[in-house]
Amino acid sequence: MEGGEMKIEEFFEIVPKLPGVRVYQFSDNYESAKRLADFAKIRGFELQIVTFEEELFEKLKSLEDEDIKVRYITENRDKYNLRSIMYDTVFVNLDIDSLNDIEEFLKKIYRIMKNAANIVLPVDVEKRDEIKTLLERCNYVAVNDTSLEEKRVVFIGKKLHGWSKV
């Protein structure tokens, strides 16, 4: 930690150290995606990197290998996963204020998560209460936040079997 501030990479450790782990990342930043891809190679888990930006998609394609896949999709797509694959951890490394419907986005993420999976969601500190309420309304449980930077927090929430209203 530099100057008492946490870096998003410190949250990569939330990925379970088990065989067959799948991680999904929404990204609007090449460097963030590259850091998670490098971590995936070290730890040996499958990683799906998704962007809503065509231009970024072209750059992200350089990160692909056997266990790292990159896709360009639109936000309003019905489902965010292919072939009903479920994920153990979902990192949302994009500006959620740029989304058309944050609540619908969170509901779609919930549907691609395995039971006991985690969502990792950085947001501006002034949106802390609003996002916590949204996460809980979308059936995430054990929702907690940790300071990331001076004006950012990271929410971690879980999907637990039997708690859903979806």
Side-chain angles (χ1 to χ4, degrees):
M1 259 190 303
E2 294 175 15
E5 294 181 357
M6 295 186 83
K7 303 287 183 202
I8 192 68
E9 291 83 8
E10 294 181 50
F11 294 93
F12 292 171
E13 289 297 327
I14 201 167
V15 176
K17 294 179 182 177
L18 300 168
V21 168
R22 291 187 174 125
V23 176
Y24 198 98
Q25 180 191 42
F26 290 94
S27 186
D28 63 5
N29 179 288
Y30 176 81
E31 289 305 318
S32 170
K34 183 175 181 342
R35 286 191 294 270
L36 186 55
D38 291 343
F39 187 73
K41 289 175 186 174
I42 292 166
R43 286 276 291 276
F45 58 79
E46 290 181 36
L47 175 61
Q48 179 83 233
I49 302 170
V50 173
T51 184
F52 297 144
E53 301 171 17
E54 279 185 87
E55 193 173 303
L56 179 59
F57 170 69
E58 293 303 320
K59 191 172 182 181
L60 289 172
K61 286 196 291 188
S62 68
L63 301 175
E64 283 194 319
D65 76 6
E66 184 178 334
D67 291 325
I68 299 172
K69 305 299 179 214
V70 177
R71 291 187 17 230
Y72 163 74
I73 62 173
T74 59
E75 177 189 345
N76 60 356
R77 180 185 179 107
D78 289 339
K79 292 180 6 177
Y80 290 149
N81 57 342
L82 291 175
R83 301 179 310 279
S84 299
I85 294 174
M86 305 295 276
Y87 295 88
D88 298 281
T89 307
V90 177
F91 288 94
V92 180
N93 289 337
L94 54 81
D95 177 12
I96 62 168
D97 289 330
S98 68
L99 300 172
N100 295 323
D101 188 339
I102 298 170
E103 185 171 356
E104 186 62 27
F105 175 75
L106 293 172
K107 286 178 180 179
K108 289 177 187 178
I109 292 174
Y110 189 88
R111 289 184 218 127
I112 69 171
M113 296 170 67
K114 290 181 182 176
N115 187 38
N118 290 301
I119 184 173
V120 180
L121 174 66
V123 298
D124 292 335
V125 71
E126 65 265 7
K127 291 189 145 291
R128 174 185 275 149
D129 294 338
E130 174 190 347
I131 298 303
K132 182 172 184 168
T133 299
L134 263 179
L135 285 164
E136 290 171 346
R137 189 166 50 225
C138 292
N139 301 311
Y140 294 92
V141 296
V143 176
N144 291 297
D145 65 88
T146 303
S147 292
L148 176 64
E149 300 164 352
E150 185 178 324
K151 297 181 180 183
R152 304 273 293 161
V153 295
V154 171
F155 277 101
I156 298 174
K158 278 199 170 303
K159 173 184 179 175
L160 291 179
H161 178 70
W163 293 59
S164 170
K165 298 174 208 160
V166 176

